Every structure is written in C-alpha cells, then in structure tokens.
C-alpha cells in the first residue's frame, strides 16, 4: 500500500511503499542518498550499493521510515528495494531542485514541461486550483449556476480590437475576450451565474503582468439594487477563496514565503474622483481619467497606510473609461468599480445597463456600431432585470497573493506575445 | 425579504416578495392571472384591475401565499402590489411557456438568448452543472489537482486534421482538440490531474450528436498498473456525478421525464474482439475494425438485455483505430477502452505509452512526423511513470442521460457547421 510523503510521520518504524520521482541524488560509494518527490512533498531515502538512475526517473521505493533529525523534515526512509519504473534518459535542462522561479524566466518557461515539476514551480498552480475551488463553492452555496459559454464568437464584447481571429469553416470568427454578453444573457435564465474559463486578449504588451490567454473567473447577478451588492458579494467570495487556499494549499503558500493578506471584509472604497484628488493633493501624482499602473500602485500603498488594508475598491469611474454597457449616473460617472489588491487591479465590475434604448444610446455615444451588437442587443427587448457582475483574473490574483515576480508563473503553459509553446 | 418560488410552501398565509419574469398572463377583465418564473420554478399570481406588461418582463410582486388546489403546485400568490422592474418591449419570438425542445431546433437555437429561459430549455444546463460539480468533487477527494492548460496551441494532439486555425500574432496556431498532451505532462507534476474546459473539432458532420465546440471532462492519472485502474476510477466518478445531479437537480430531471440509469458499478466489459464476435454471430451485424454508431447502439441493447446494464466498457481496441500514444499490447491490441452509455460512446480512454522510444516508434508506425511532436516527446525523456486517463464529453452525457433529441440542447450556445451565433 502506497504512502504519500506527507503522511510518513504516521508510519515511523514501519515498512512503506513510496512512488515518485528522483528529485536529487548523491553517491558516497557504499551509501547513496536520494530525495524522492511525490505530489505531496520530498523525503530523503538512503540505500546502499545501488546505482541510481538520472534525476527525474520515476521510482518505486520500499523501505522503513526512521526518525533522523538531520534529514529534511526530520524523517528518512531506509530503502530495502528501489525499482526504477521509468528511467530518465538525459539530464534535465535545468536542475529541478535548484530551479527557482527567480531564475531566467525564458529558460524556465522554454522547458516548462519539466521545470514545472519543481516544488516552487508547481506550488502556484496548486494554490490557484484551491482559489478556484473556493470561488465555485461559495457561489454554488449562494445558488449561482455554473455556465459554459462559447469561446468562438462572431464579435467581441467591446468592439473589434484586441481579438484573435479564427477560421471557422468559411466564416471569420474570434476568440472571446470575455464571456460578458453571454453571462448577461444567462442572468435572464438563471439570475445568478458564474463561469471559470479561458479568455484571450491580443495585446501587444510584453510585461510581467500580461498574458494573452488567461483564466477569467466571471460572476453575473440579477435583481441587484446597485453595484454595492456586487462589492459585498465579492468581499465574501474572496474571503472564502483565501480561506480555501490557506486550508488546502498551506504548505505551498509557506514554501513560497507568501505573506497572506488581511481579510477582505469591509474593503475601503474610494470614488474615482476622490482617488484622483488624493493622488494629486496628497501623493503629488496628478493623473488624467485613466488610472495608470503607477497610480494604482500608489493608491494601494495609501490604502495600506490609511486603513491597514491590502484591498481597495475604486468606484464610480467616469463613462469615458468604461465599456458601453456600464450603468451610467447622471453626473457622468458610472456604477462601476475596480478592486485593487496591493496596488494591482485584479477585478473590474459594475452594474450593467438593462434597458434596450439606453444600450443603443450608449453604443452610439461611444461611436460604436449597434449593428455589430444586434444579437446581443435583442435580449434587452425582453425584460432584463437590473444586474451586474465582475471578473477576477485568476493568474494576477495568484501572482500577487504569492508575490511571484511574473504572472507567467501563475499559468501552467503561458501564452504571450512571443510564446506559443510548450 | 425575497422568497424563491420553491420555498413558498413554507410561507402559506404570509406576505412575501417575489422577483422574476412574467412567464404567462391571462386577463379576465376584473381579474388577471399570471405565472411568475424565477430561477427555482413557476407560481401562479392573481391580481385585479391591473394591466400586465408583455411576457418576459421582469417583475417584483408582493402578495400573500394561499393554498389553491387548482393552481400549479397547489399554491398561488394573491398580489398586493406588482412592480414592473423592466418591461419587455416586444412579444418573444417563441412563446416561452409553450417552448418545447421537441419543436423546430433551428428556431429555438436562433433565438436561444431568450428561448433558454424556458423551464425545459434551461433544465439540461442545470443538470450539466451538477454533473460537473460531482466530477470535480470526487476527483478533489481523490487528491487530483485541477489544471488549466492552453487552448491555443502550435499543433494538434493527433496530427493536423480537424483543427480550427487561429491567427496568433505572426504565427499560425490552432484551437486545442484535447488537452491530451498537456494533461500527460502534468502527470509528471501532480501525478493526478483533471480539467474541465472547451475543446474544438473541425468536423464537417452536422448531426444531432456532433458539436464543434464542446466541454471535455478530462482525467489523467500516474502510477497506474494498467487501464483497469482507470475504468474502476471512472465507475466511482460517474456514480458521484449521477448522485450529485439527482440530489441537486432532481426537479429538472423530473421535469424532462428522464429515466435515470442503473448505477455504474461493475460495468460489464467486452473486449473489442468479443464485441465484434457478438455483433457478427449473435446480432447478425458484422463490422470492420471501427465500431460504427449502429454497432455501438446494438452493443448497448445487448448489454441491457444480457446484464441489465445501461453501461458497457469495450476494451482492447486494435492499434489501428487508436491514437499513437495508446499503450500497445503484443497481440496488436491496446490498453484502451470506450464507455458506451445506452449505446452511445461518451468516453474514450486508456493507458498511454510512457517511454520515449516507444512513442517514437508508434508515431513512425502511424506514418506521423515525430518532428511535429518534438515539444511533446521531450517530456518522455524524463522518467514519465506509467499513466493513463480518459475524457468524458459533457454534452453527450447530458443529452443521453436526459433523453434529449439533440446534443445542442445540452450546450447553452452551440457551435456547429453552420452556427456561430448567438
């Protein structure tokens, strides 16, 4: 019966079977040391007079668990039998135990099919899976329905720019930038919906925080009073996501030395106008209508200093910087918000326009062609209730939570301006 | 405080608030009857001397819950106040209460953004969400890790045919047909992985069981003995999926009049050779190496008659009809299986080749170019353990479980040979 590395402490003095990968080896002639890595962790194994295969070979080890204060984790396994299930044929391009995601990203990403095996490389993906699990579980409990909307679409949610083209039989189609329009339609069906799915942005940016394919955690909710309902929902949702990650991926979080954030409860809110005033008058950093990345970073510091909060909602953005479907106020602002986490935008959301004529007007005011949105607009002829939602970028949140230097390490096989493999 | 329709029975005699859509209306002059639909169901509302808006308008209703044996569900709400939150501007293209997915599919699908609101139209999506929830929950408990692999790829998993092309900046890319190669790589990282994500097949078929974009439930598992481990896993997994659907979408299953299947435990297994023999000798339907749809249908009937089982594993397919990465036996068969449910293939799976040289040989034997798979092949130089997996087509399973006449009704916004909208 196989035992996982993390459970060995309950088997001291017993003979166990381990399965895993040869993480590291050292041959002292009569004695060989090796580290065996399985999905749960790494343990030292000692054997004698045995020729060990190359690192990353997969092994079956039978041996006795003994306490050893000098061994990593305070335990080692004295092997009675080591079977090579599948030998590595070549040395790995990067030494997996030394592999650090602080090393040259290009090398790590080029060989990601094997560098991902490193404990620090795989940890962010484990944390992300836990965050997503918390996301779904909280929303399931709130009676949201998971939806699966099309990713090959006729037109974009916000016009034609930034879309990757697809040859769909004889037709021209695009990869969805967002499930925006579909999740709104689904509010008419299930009232409360969410989706966890990839989206694509054909952005030329090649920075440490941009991905061209990323995982979007989308929420949309009907019968709301205003955007405040959405912000309260997001606070409780994020709290459960963080809790689930801490409970089920605590080892990974510790391994990466991450500082877990303050609880996202009663997150401070600043209107866009207040934020601009603070930036100009208090932080000496005047900005235009759009908040630059630097402005967001400064606001993040401000929230930390003033309220001790890692989180900050910036609300009521002006119409000019929000999509056409954003619910407008008479003063030129909108019922919208961004959520900044440690100075990085991880969410954008808001109430949507739910009346047909107002959508038409808004499209025209933005200089967009209502014809291109005909299929989308139709549903607003049929009594769409007040509704709104938001989207969380899973990799950005993971990156920022874990303090990763690059968002690419929060995605198994990132796609960027220059990277289409592995 | 809003009450959902399904909870009204606990509020008889009380005044409640309802939110929802005007499902149907009838004006008798002094008295108006309407059906109000929310995400949980439909209830009759009675009011007097009020002009009702068009169907599908969204409403807030305040009224008293009273027992009424003649009303649907035995209850009605006597309205004190009806507020139109958002009026429908036009009659719906299809009458939602009469909408039946047995009607003309083209009409229903063309106006799907509103026909989906029908109780029978939305029910399969609710059931599917429950099936997927059961899928994830079972695998989470078995220590599988959810993965999110790229959908824009350089090459297909099974060669170049059947792929939709994508313009990825200057490069030619494709939509993933399957996460096959990536989920195998991830076995080296987490040993046990799953993914729930869309895949695409550029098939010309335009039938009631083909979709060009569908949801694939993928599983891959390392350190297996052989494909029997996978079939046992799938039995337990399907049992939990069916149980979750029955527990949380029972109303929807009943609404559709579905006959829930026998429990998928100890599913009978037939080797491909046995299946061929039975088809020829017992069923008078000789076939070649490939089992046709009709052959699968006949085998489904055979399993039902002989074992009383809705399920049948067909195993040990010959190499010629399986992908290059399938683990071969010396007798020309492979460690592979399909799962037929009521005579429809809903899963394909098997053990994979885990040694580099054997993969190379297999590619060559299939007349495929190893160069095109270089990135994939590399990982097999690094001690990949024995492993395998399978994929379940979510819409096909949903269709067959619910007896839907067309797989398109198991997807919110289906994409097919001719359909790219809505």
């Amino acid at each position: 019966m196989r035992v996982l590395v993390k459970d060995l402490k309950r088997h001291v003095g017993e003979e166990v079977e381990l399965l895993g990968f040869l993480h590291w080896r050292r041959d002292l002639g009569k004695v060989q040391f090796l580290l065996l890595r399985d999905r749960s962790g790494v343990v030292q194994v000692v054997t004698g007079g045995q020729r060990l295969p190359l690192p990353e070979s997969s092994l079956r080890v039978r041996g006795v668990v003994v306490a050893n204060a000098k061994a990593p984790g305070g335990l080692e396994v004295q092997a009675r039998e080591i079977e090579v299930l599948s030998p590595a044929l070549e040395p790995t391009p990067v030494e997996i135990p030394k592999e650090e995601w602080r090393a040259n990203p290009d090398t790590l990403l080029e060989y990601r099919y094997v560098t991902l095996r490193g404990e620090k490389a795989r940890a962010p993906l484990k944390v992300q899976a836990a965050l997503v699990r918390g996301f779904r579980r909280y929303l399931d409990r709130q009676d949201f329905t998971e939806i699966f909307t099309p990713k090959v679409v006729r037109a974009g949610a916000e016009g034609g720019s930034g879309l990757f083209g697809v040859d769909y039989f004889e037709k021209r189609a695009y990869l969805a930038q967002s499930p925006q329009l579909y999740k709104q339609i689904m509010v008419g069906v299930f009232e409360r919906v969410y989706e966890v799915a990839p989206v694509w942005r054909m952005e030329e940016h090649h920075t440490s925080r941009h991905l061209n394919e990323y995982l979007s955690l989308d929420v949309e909710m009907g019968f709301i009073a205003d955007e405040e309902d959405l912000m309260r929902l997001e606070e409780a949702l994020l709290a459960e996501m963080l809790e689930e990650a801490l409970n089920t991926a605590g080892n990974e979080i510790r391994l990466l030395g991450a500082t877990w954030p303050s609880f996202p409860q009663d997150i401070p809110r600043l209107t866009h106008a207040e934020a601009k005033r603070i930036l100009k008058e208090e932080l000496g950093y005047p900005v235009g209508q759009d908040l630059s990345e630097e402005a967001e970073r400064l606001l993040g510091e401000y929230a930390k200093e003033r309220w001790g909060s890692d989180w900050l909602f910036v609300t009521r953005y002006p119409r000019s910087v929000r999509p056409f479907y954003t619910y407008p106020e008479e003063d030129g602002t909108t019922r919208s918000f961004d959520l900044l986490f440690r100075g990085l935008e991880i969410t954008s959301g808001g109430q949507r326009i739910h009346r047909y004529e107002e959508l038409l007007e808004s499209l025209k005011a933005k200089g967009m062609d209502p014809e291109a949105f005909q299929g989308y607009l139709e549903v607003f002829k049929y009594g769409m209730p007040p509704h709104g939602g938001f989207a969380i970028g899973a990799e950005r949140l993971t990156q920022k939570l874990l303090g990763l230097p690059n968002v690419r390490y929060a995605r198994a096989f990132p796609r960027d301006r220059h990277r289409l493999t592995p």
Side-chain angles (χ1 to χ4, degrees), chain A:
Chain A
M1 187 62 181
R2 176 194 188 176
V3 174
L4 288 175
V5 167
K6 73 175 166 65
D7 297 327
L8 285 176
K9 53 185 177 292
R10 290 192 267 128
H11 294 272
V12 175
E14 296 172 25
E15 180 170 312
V16 297
E17 177 180 295
L18 292 168
L19 295 169
F21 296 86
L22 202 170
H23 190 59
W24 173 90
R25 59 179 185 172
R26 189 170 177 201
D27 193 337
L28 299 180
K30 281 191 181 162
V31 181
Q32 290 81 40
F33 292 93
L34 66 99
L35 292 177
L36 186 85
R37 185 190 71 243
D38 70 13
R39 65 181 186 268
S40 75
V42 165
V43 70
Q44 178 169 296
V45 177
V46 192
T47 184
Q50 184 153 2
R51 219 180 118 78
L52 294 173
L54 284 170
E56 291 310 311
S57 297
S58 55
L59 306 178
R60 172 183 285 121
V61 173
R62 278 199 319 109
V64 177
V65 186
V66 297
N68 175 353
K70 289 183 198 164
L75 288 177
E76 71 178 16
V77 173
Q78 295 176 344
R80 296 209 170 145
E81 189 189 337
I82 296 182
E83 180 191 352
V84 180
L85 294 174
S86 179
L89 308 179
E90 294 178 6
T92 52
V94 174
E95 282 187 74
I96 301 299
K98 293 186 184 165
E99 170 266 312
E100 274 263 336
W101 33 264
R102 287 188 179 79
N104 178 356
D106 284 335
T107 308
L108 292 180
L109 293 172
E110 185 178 345
Y111 301 110
R112 193 128 168 106
Y113 52 84
V114 59
T115 59
L116 256 181
R117 293 186 184 179
E119 286 188 282
K120 286 189 176 174
R122 73 187 181 183
L125 306 187
K126 194 85 186 174
V127 173
Q128 188 173 88
L131 291 168
V132 172
R133 188 164 56 244
F135 175 87
R136 292 199 196 95
R137 200 177 49 198
Y138 179 80
L139 293 170
D140 283 341
R141 219 165 51 235
Q142 302 298 319
D143 211 14
F144 281 71
T145 300
E146 184 172 16
I147 56 173
F148 304 98
T149 69
K151 302 304 156 200
V152 175
V153 297
R154 188 68 164 274
E158 298 174 23
S161 72
L163 295 165
F164 289 111
V166 177
D167 297 324
Y168 192 81
F169 298 107
E170 308 66 33
K171 295 185 186 123
R172 188 61 171 172
Y174 302 94
L175 289 177
Q177 276 178 319
S178 148
Q180 182 61 36
L181 315 184
Y182 291 102
K183 67 177 180 169
Q184 289 185 255
I185 291 174
M186 294 308 286
V187 163
V189 178
F190 291 123
E191 301 176 28
R192 303 172 165 205
V193 296
Y194 69 87
E195 181 163 22
V196 174
V199 295
W200 295 267
R201 305 272 164 120
M202 197 179 73
E203 287 177 352
E204 300 278 342
H205 301 287
H206 190 78
T207 77
S208 63
R209 57 185 255 180
H210 283 95
L211 288 168
N212 293 98
E213 177 181 61
Y214 71 89
L215 190 69
S216 185
L217 310 182
D218 271 275
V219 175
E220 200 76 13
M221 186 178 183
F223 298 106
I224 60 171
D226 54 37
E227 77 279 25
E228 184 60 29
D229 284 352
L230 304 170
M231 291 189 278
R232 280 197 301 268
L233 172 70
E234 189 172 10
E235 288 173 341
L237 174 60
L238 282 166
E240 179 140 343
M241 292 167 68
L242 295 176
E243 194 185 0
E244 177 68 11
L246 207 52
N247 287 345
T248 63
N251 287 341
E252 285 76 9
I253 291 167
R254 280 184 290 277
L255 181 71
L256 295 172
T259 307
W260 216 236
S262 61
F263 211 63
Q265 202 173 23
D266 297 324
I267 295 176
R269 284 120 162 99
L270 281 181
T271 66
H272 182 269
E274 286 165 351
K276 276 183 64 174
R277 190 195 57 73
I278 288 165
L279 281 164
K280 186 180 171 194
E281 295 177 11
E282 302 189 35
L283 306 175
Y285 191 86
V287 291
Q289 294 296 63
D290 244 334
L291 300 181
S292 63
E293 293 184 13
E294 177 61 11
E296 289 176 348
R297 200 185 61 72
L298 290 169
L299 289 171
E301 286 179 6
Y302 180 87
K304 187 73 181 177
E305 276 172 35
R306 177 158 169 198
W307 295 291
S309 175
D310 288 311
W311 311 86
L312 176 67
F313 276 122
V314 180
T315 66
R316 299 272 160 152
Y317 283 77
R319 289 189 78 166
S320 58
V321 299
R322 301 302 273 201
F324 74 91
Y325 48 76
T326 314
Y327 197 98
E329 292 287 351
E330 290 194 354
D331 63 1
T333 68
T334 57
R335 296 189 179 177
S336 59
F337 58 89
D338 278 6
L339 177 58
L340 308 186
F341 171 54
R342 293 178 179 158
L344 182 75
E345 179 216 315
I346 55 153
T347 292
S348 206
Q351 186 171 346
R352 328 296 186 184
I353 299 173
H354 61 278
R355 292 179 195 273
Y356 182 77
E357 300 85 352
E358 288 170 30
L359 267 173
L360 267 190
E361 271 169 39
S362 188
L363 276 168
K364 287 177 193 160
K366 290 260 180 195
M368 296 164 82
D369 177 14
E371 274 300 306
F373 292 88
Q374 207 45 51
Y376 168 60
L377 288 171
E378 281 301 308
V379 73
F380 293 90
K381 292 181 179 169
Y382 304 109
M384 279 294 285
H387 67 284
F390 53 87
I392 303 173
E395 293 86 357
R396 275 201 181 183
L397 176 60
T398 307
Q399 175 193 6
K400 205 67 185 172
L401 275 171
L402 298 175
L404 307 179
N406 194 314
V407 71
R408 288 166 183 74
Y409 300 133
R411 189 148 179 96
F413 301 95
R415 294 292 178 259
D416 62 31
R417 181 71 184 81
H418 304 293
R419 194 175 303 280
L420 191 49
T421 57

